[in-house]
Amino acid sequence: MKVNDALIEKLANLSRLEFEESEKEEIKNDLEKMIGFIDKLNELDTSGVEPLLHMSENVNIFRKDEVKGEMSKEDVFKNAPLHDNDFFKVPKVIKK
């Protein structure tokens, strides 16, 4: 694939960006390097390599749901500005 000014303009339009001429040259050089890297990867023989879908063979590994570090009601409500015996009290946010 050849990177030219028309391609840079098209990419700028699609991404809704505006570039100075010096920036366009830098982007053009970067794109040519990226395409060169991909072309280099295409030289590799990957005929016997399975596609990688996940980084490991493990699926849905869950930990046990264990209760740890319980707090008493007194400790929970100790720093609450407003509360009753069972609930935090907060200002009303929905007005009728």
Side-chain angles (χ1 to χ4, degrees):
M1 172 182 243
K2 181 69 177 147
V3 178
N4 54 24
D5 292 335
L7 178 64
I8 301 298
E9 289 294 327
K10 182 178 180 180
L11 292 174
N13 183 40
L14 290 172
S15 60
R16 305 295 190 254
L17 296 173
E18 294 180 11
F19 300 114
E20 301 290 329
E21 287 302 318
S22 61
E23 292 174 319
K24 287 180 184 178
E25 283 301 316
E26 190 175 331
I27 291 169
K28 186 176 179 180
N29 291 334
D30 288 345
L31 282 174
E32 287 174 350
K33 288 178 187 175
M34 287 182 231
I35 292 170
F37 179 72
I38 298 301
D39 286 341
K40 188 72 173 170
L41 289 176
N42 286 334
E43 295 174 7
L44 294 174
D45 177 25
T46 58
S47 57
V49 179
E50 291 292 321
L52 179 65
L53 299 176
H54 301 285
M55 293 307 294
S56 71
E57 298 292 326
N58 300 329
V59 178
N60 294 338
I61 300 174
F62 299 110
R63 63 174 171 79
K64 294 187 186 271
D65 192 13
E66 298 173 357
V67 177
K68 296 180 180 178
E70 291 183 11
M71 296 178 70
S72 68
K73 279 187 183 180
E74 292 80 25
D75 289 338
V76 170
F77 292 125
K78 182 170 46 175
N79 292 324
L82 295 172
H83 62 88
D84 60 15
N85 291 334
D86 295 317
F87 302 102
F88 293 102
K89 291 187 176 182
V90 296
K92 187 174 185 175
V93 293
I94 299 176
K95 298 177 181 172
K96 291 184 180 181

